[in-house]
Amino acid sequence: MKGVRDWVFSQVLSKSLASPSSLSGGNNFYAEEHRIQNENFNEQDHSASSAIPSDSSNSSNGDQSNHHSSSLQLVSDTEVDHYQDNTNGRRKDTLAKVEDLQVKFFRLLQRLGQTQENLLVAKVLYRMHLATLIRTKESDLKRVNHSSSRARAVASEQEAIGVPQLDFSCRILVLGKTGVGKSATINSIFGQEKTTTGAFQPATNCIQEVVGNVNGINITFIDTPGFLPSSTNNMKRNKRIMLAIKRFIRKSPPDIVLYFERLDFINAGYVDFPLLKLVTEVFGSAIWFNTIIVMTHSSSAIPEGPDGYTINYESYISHCTNIIQQHIHQAVFDSRLENPVLLVENHSQCPKNIMGEKILPNGLVWRSQLLFFCVCTKVLGDVNILLKFQNSVDLGPTSSTRIPSMPHLLSSLLRHHPISNLSGIDDEIEEILLSDNEEEEYDQLPPIRVLTKSQFEMLSEPLQKDYLDEMDYRETLFLKKHLKEDYRKRKEKLLLTEQKFLNSDNPDDQQAPPEPVLLPDMAVPASFDSDCQSHRYRCVVSDDQWLLRPVLDPQGWDHDVGFDGINLETTTEIKKNVNASVVGQMNKNKQDFSIQSECAAAYVDPRAPTYSVGVDVQSTGKDFICTVRSNTKLKNIKHNIADCGVSLTSFAKKYYVGAKLEDTVFVGKRLKFVLNAGRMEGAGQMAYGGSFEANLLGEDYPVRNDNVSLTMTVLSFNKEMVLSGNLQSEFRLSRSSRASVSANLNSRKMGQICIKISTSEHLQFASFAIFSILKFLSRRKATRNVVKEGMD
């Protein structure tokens, strides 16, 4: 069970403060701290909370001290008389009403046997004092600072003489399944039989109010019919009961909600989520902020653990509390909620102390503890009402209040977006291939004899090297020849299709669709299954336009028979020189839904500017980032391409506008320089920057993807400028080895170097991993020695 200290400090640190509100009025049950602006201050409001610590097992002994509450101050009779004069004979102001409430609270503490050094008492007084300070004028600060001491003295005097009569009432709504002990608990609190109870059948058939007085507290219980266990038929009946309860409490809403559950029914198979979800849907998720979980049958036998020994009582209570709290978190979709938990035992054979009060196995008196929690909740709720704090916080999934990163939006704007091409022909690669004469050179090569392995081993090392170099050279020329032929066939096919379309008398006539083609199998992660699971992800391409493939999750469950996502790719020609493409992926599981898509359309004319427009959509939680972009490319000079573009991004009802300029210069066939600059503005923020890139391709590109790229970037955001450099290179070390180098460094003295080497022959490269592991272990050992010396 969660301790009082843990709960209190978590509530103070999170500033989650609750207040009672109407269940049916559409307001929340709680109020968070709000900001107010007055003439002299611009501070944050802190609402007094009516939420109560989530455990009663550690807060009723009264022996916990409050380290940051001042000791009792001596109050003179003059101050007491002055206090009574301020609260009688004239209409009380708000501060006087809060002081009256403090007096009532101290009188109730004495009647319930709770000491003022109790940690929960100290926290309630602290929040009352904090809320009063926020609403108090500067002239009344001295009065507020001494109000607690005066209230203690006045409460002691009034309790001694019994005048005036204590006027304090509390309305409590009781919810829970049938047979959990709701009516029995009400009878135990009043000490007499106020309602009918039944051990084998439901005893409460209608909503009724049970009124009584306990220790001077006027308590009204709203006893309700019990819910049935979760099932399709029972859920309809349960919903009718909840709607009737909601109508009943509309005129007079409760101050506190007690949700009952049997402790001996909570186990690993506890499945009450549908019922908790229904409660949330009918009453609203904010009901849980004023709800105390009451576990009856708390003296039942504790089950044995996995080792055959009886579990510790406190550990068992904590385990059951976590189970039901997790179900509530799932019902409200919010893990920040922490409900207090109280233990109850109504059995007639329950042990009692010398005062005749029923006690739990841990020695606590549950009746006074429950009353104490209700009093604290009611007092803090009344403070919120008196000081008129607003209710504006909603439970549920945390709404994304983040704004997109301006540098990220700017980098996305400056990023190169390729134009869809139905023929699949890259202009840059085509120009490189057509300018080379390797095809004729390959045809003019003399024939070569292919050696077998035994013949190759008979050669000397220099001859072996010359033979391999010759074979590698011939392979490169052969691949270039076939790649060039492939590009020519594609281009001829495209021209032929256009010519047939123009010469055809009936343009609606279409050729027969191509035969379906089976795509290669995916690389499925290792599985414990006896057979390979790749057949579950096989895909067939039925035409040239649409490509649909399932998305494989490498971190998914073993024996998974399906997939949670779909990938879509399509490219089509709308009109002549007008192409459109859609690339997207959608993932859906039981809780989350995500989508990423890029849609683009372009007008491509070799003799005129190229125009393109695109729409990008990406999900972030429950929101979507939507970007509309447009680009224009000008190629007036053979070796120069100018590009300009604009974009509009929408996210969380905010808009961001950006613009960019880019210029590309080609020097020869393999050297390219790209210079761009852009600016992004929106939501009161602005970022601008640019980059310069030099890219050098290898001699055998595109057959061998050797290249070196150097990029220099400058970014200015929030009056801060960052310079960065990035070097990327990929090259071939030998016939069976490749290497890639990536390095970056910025003006903040942050950088990274990454070197990757892949080979199929030289296994000694794996020794670098052993060196890295040994170096890590030595550093870890040195760190431990330093820590140990510091402790000594």
Side-chain angles (χ1 to χ4, degrees):
M1 187 183 301
K2 184 178 292 295
V4 173
R5 184 182 300 273
D6 297 336
W7 186 92
V8 168
F9 281 105
S10 66
Q11 293 296 312
V12 172
L13 292 175
S14 63
K15 301 179 182 178
S16 176
L17 304 177
S19 65
S21 303
S22 173
L23 279 172
S24 57
N27 296 329
N28 299 324
F29 265 61
Y30 61 100
E32 196 178 10
E33 303 163 338
H34 304 277
R35 293 188 178 273
I36 61 172
Q37 294 183 352
N38 50 38
E39 298 178 358
N40 301 321
F41 301 93
N42 182 14
E43 301 178 302
Q44 183 179 6
D45 286 1
H46 294 74
S47 164
S49 173
S50 66
I52 300 300
S54 60
D55 186 69
S56 62
S57 59
N58 299 325
S59 61
S60 64
N61 295 334
D63 55 351
Q64 300 176 356
S65 60
N66 177 25
H67 297 288
H68 42 247
S69 64
S70 59
S71 59
L72 282 175
Q73 301 178 2
L74 296 177
V75 182
S76 61
D77 294 339
T78 305
E79 290 177 328
V80 175
D81 295 339
H82 177 70
Y83 171 81
Q84 293 176 347
D85 292 339
N86 288 338
T87 56
N88 296 295
R90 65 178 179 85
R91 185 177 180 179
K92 299 178 182 178
D93 59 0
T94 302
L95 185 57
K97 293 179 181 179
V98 174
E99 291 173 347
D100 279 350
L101 191 59
Q102 287 181 334
V103 173
K104 293 180 181 179
F105 181 62
F106 284 118
R107 293 183 65 180
L108 290 170
L109 292 180
Q110 296 184 27
R111 297 189 180 189
L112 296 176
Q114 301 291 338
T115 63
Q116 299 173 2
E117 287 76 18
N118 188 290
L119 179 62
L120 180 57
V121 174
K123 292 301 178 182
V124 172
L125 294 176
Y126 169 74
R127 297 193 178 193
M128 292 176 65
H129 179 70
L130 180 63
T132 308
L133 283 176
I134 294 174
R135 296 299 195 201
T136 302
K137 298 181 180 179
E138 188 176 1
S139 58
D140 293 331
L141 290 178
K142 184 177 179 180
R143 176 183 172 188
V144 172
N145 290 330
H146 296 284
S147 62
S148 181
S149 301
R150 290 196 300 269
R152 288 190 185 97
V154 172
S156 299
E157 180 179 342
Q158 291 181 356
E159 279 297 293
I161 61 179
V163 178
Q165 185 176 0
L166 182 62
D167 182 17
F168 189 86
S169 61
C170 185
R171 289 180 60 84
I172 303 174
L173 174 64
V174 177
L175 298 176
K177 291 185 293 187
T178 182
V180 296
K182 302 185 296 297
S183 301
T185 302
I186 295 175
N187 294 336
S188 298
I189 291 175
F190 288 122
Q192 54 181 319
E193 188 172 350
K194 289 272 190 177
T195 61
T196 305
T197 60
F200 303 102
Q201 59 182 0
T204 305
N205 298 319
C206 61
I207 305 173
Q208 57 183 353
E209 291 188 352
V210 183
V211 182
N213 188 282
V214 180
N215 293 337
I217 307 173
N218 297 319
I219 301 179
T220 301
F221 281 100
I222 305 176
D223 196 10
T224 60
F227 306 133
L228 295 180
S230 301
S231 67
T232 304
N233 296 329
N234 293 342
M235 294 304 286
K236 297 180 180 179
R237 177 185 180 277
N238 292 339
K239 188 172 184 178
R240 289 196 298 268
I241 295 175
M242 294 179 190
L243 293 175
I245 296 172
K246 188 174 182 179
R247 291 191 297 267
F248 185 87
I249 63 177
R250 181 170 298 166
K251 294 183 179 179
S252 183
D255 302 311
I256 306 158
V257 179
L258 299 182
Y259 186 84
F260 283 75
E261 185 58 86
R262 288 187 58 162
L263 181 65
D264 53 344
F265 282 3
I266 301 177
N267 49 41
Y270 180 80
V271 284
D272 238 359
F273 171 76
L275 180 59
L276 299 175
K277 183 65 176 178
L278 184 61
V279 172
T280 305
E281 293 175 354
V282 174
F283 295 104
S285 59
I287 185 178
W288 298 107
F289 254 90
N290 260 31
T291 298
I292 300 174
I293 307 300
V294 179
M295 294 186 179
T296 59
H297 295 261
S298 298
S299 296
S300 302
I302 301 176
E304 296 180 349
D307 54 358
Y309 294 94
T310 304
I311 305 175
N312 178 268
Y313 184 77
E314 296 295 338
S315 300
Y316 177 66
I317 297 299
S318 177
H319 173 71
C320 295
T321 301
N322 291 335
I323 291 178
I324 193 171
Q325 189 69 73
Q326 289 176 4
H327 281 73
I328 296 177
H329 288 169
Q330 295 176 5
V332 300
F333 294 103
D334 197 327
S335 60
R336 298 172 297 173
L337 182 65
E338 295 180 4
N339 296 95
V341 177
L342 293 176
L343 305 178
V344 170
E345 180 54 69
N346 299 306
H347 199 276
S348 58
Q349 301 298 324
C350 178
K352 300 180 181 180
N353 58 9
I354 57 176
M355 303 295 296
E357 299 172 317
K358 294 181 180 179
I359 60 175
L360 300 173
N362 56 5
L364 297 180
V365 180
W366 68 263
R367 180 174 176 271
S368 61
Q369 188 69 12
L370 190 148
L371 294 174
F372 176 49
F373 270 58
C374 295
V375 166
C376 292
T377 305
K378 172 64 175 176
V379 167
L380 291 177
D382 290 346
V383 171
N384 277 354
I385 295 175
L386 290 175
L387 299 179
K388 298 179 181 180
F389 283 102
Q390 300 177 1
N391 302 328
S392 65
V393 181
D394 291 326
L395 271 177
T398 305
S399 59
S400 177
T401 58
R402 301 176 293 107
I403 62 175
S405 170
M406 296 296 288
H408 173 73
L409 293 179
L410 180 60
S411 63
S412 178
L413 172 65
L414 297 178
R415 179 171 59 90
H416 176 69
H417 297 274
I419 299 176
S420 60
N421 193 342
L422 190 62
S423 63
I425 300 176
D426 192 319
D427 294 337
E428 296 182 13
I429 297 179
E430 181 184 13
E431 184 178 356
I432 294 174
L433 291 174
L434 296 180
S435 62
D436 292 336
N437 297 320
E438 280 83 357
E439 181 178 358
E440 293 78 5
E441 185 178 355
Y442 177 79
D443 294 335
Q444 296 175 1
L445 289 176
I448 185 175
R449 179 184 177 186
V450 180
L451 301 179
T452 62
K453 184 177 180 181
S454 59
Q455 293 173 345
F456 177 78
E457 292 177 349
M458 294 174 61
L459 298 177
S460 61
E461 290 187 3
L463 291 179
Q464 288 182 356
K465 183 178 181 304
D466 294 340
Y467 176 80
L468 293 177
D469 291 340
E470 178 66 21
M471 295 298 294
D472 184 67
Y473 175 69
R474 288 173 175 266
E475 180 186 9
T476 303
L477 294 181
F478 178 78
L479 292 176
K480 283 188 177 182
K481 176 184 176 181
H482 277 266
L483 187 59
K484 188 183 299 185
E485 291 178 354
D486 183 57
Y487 265 73
R488 285 178 178 175
K489 290 180 180 179
R490 289 187 183 183
K491 200 165 186 178
E492 292 175 358
K493 182 180 179 181
L494 183 62
L495 294 175
L496 183 61
T497 303
E498 293 179 356
Q499 189 67 26
K500 287 183 178 180
F501 180 80
L502 294 175
N503 298 333
S504 176
D505 295 335
N506 186 7
D508 295 333
D509 292 341
Q510 296 182 356
Q511 297 180 356
E515 296 182 0
V517 178
L518 181 65
L519 293 180
D521 289 341
M522 289 185 177
V524 180
S527 173
F528 288 102
D529 291 338
S530 58
D531 56 342
C532 181
Q533 307 297 317
S534 60
H535 66 276
R536 297 174 179 170
Y537 302 95
R538 285 176 182 166
C539 181
V540 176
V541 180
S542 57
D543 54 48
D544 293 335
Q545 294 185 355
W546 295 92
L547 176 60
L548 284 170
R549 295 207 69 177
V551 177
L552 174 63
D553 182 11
Q555 305 296 330
W557 290 96
D558 196 18
H559 305 282
D560 192 6
V561 296
F563 46 86
D564 298 331
I566 296 177
N567 182 276
L568 167 67
E569 297 181 16
T570 180
T571 301
T572 182
E573 184 177 10
I574 302 176
K575 293 183 179 180
K576 183 179 180 181
N577 296 335
V578 179
N579 300 326
S581 65
V582 177
V583 179
Q585 178 173 316
M586 181 191 70
N587 293 81
K588 178 69 173 72
N589 54 26
K590 293 182 179 180
Q591 295 182 352
D592 301 326
F593 170 79
S594 64
I595 184 174
Q596 294 180 351
S597 67
E598 293 185 6
C599 306
Y603 172 78
V604 181
D605 189 350
R607 297 177 298 273
T610 299
Y611 305 96
S612 63
V613 61
V615 178
D616 301 339
V617 178
Q618 181 179 356
S619 59
T620 59
K622 287 195 171 182
D623 294 327
F624 290 90
I625 298 180
C626 181
T627 301
V628 180
R629 50 182 170 80
S630 176
N631 287 73
T632 301
K633 283 190 176 183
L634 303 175
K635 193 176 181 180
N636 298 327
I637 306 176
K638 182 178 180 180
H639 298 288
N640 181 267
I641 299 177
D643 186 358
C644 61
V646 295
S647 70
L648 175 64
T649 301
S650 172
F651 176 69
K653 298 182 180 180
K654 296 181 180 180
Y655 298 92
Y656 306 86
V657 181
K660 75 167 184 177
L661 293 174
E662 181 177 303
D663 190 72
T664 304
V665 179
F666 295 92
V667 180
K669 298 180 297 182
R670 312 192 185 280
L671 183 59
K672 179 176 66 174
F673 297 99
V674 180
L675 177 65
N676 57 31
R679 171 173 171 171
M680 183 67 66
E681 185 174 359
Q685 296 181 333
M686 181 182 65
Y688 58 90
S691 65
F692 173 78
E693 178 184 355
N695 192 0
L696 177 62
L697 302 177
E699 294 182 357
D700 298 329
Y701 184 86
V703 175
R704 312 293 184 191
N705 191 22
D706 297 346
N707 64 87
V708 178
S709 176
L710 176 63
T711 306
M712 304 297 296
T713 305
V714 57
L715 175 65
S716 178
F717 178 62
N718 285 341
K719 299 181 180 180
E720 185 179 0
M721 183 173 293
V722 178
L723 301 174
S724 62
N726 184 24
L727 173 65
Q728 290 185 349
S729 177
E730 186 175 352
F731 52 92
R732 191 181 184 199
L733 294 176
S734 64
R735 287 175 295 274
S736 59
S737 303
R738 292 193 62 84
S740 63
V741 179
S742 175
N744 58 75
L745 181 67
N746 58 30
S747 57
R748 294 182 177 180
K749 299 181 180 180
M750 300 173 61
Q752 181 182 9
I753 298 177
C754 179
I755 301 176
K756 296 182 180 180
I757 300 176
S758 61
T759 178
S760 59
E761 293 181 356
H762 305 283
L763 300 180
Q764 57 268 27
F765 284 114
S767 60
F768 286 105
I770 300 176
F771 173 76
S772 302
I773 294 174
L774 295 177
K775 189 175 181 180
F776 169 75
L777 294 176
S778 62
R779 286 185 177 180
R780 186 176 181 182
K781 184 177 180 180
T783 304
R784 288 182 177 179
N785 294 335
V786 171
V787 174
K788 186 176 181 180
E789 291 177 0
M791 295 178 62
D792 295 340

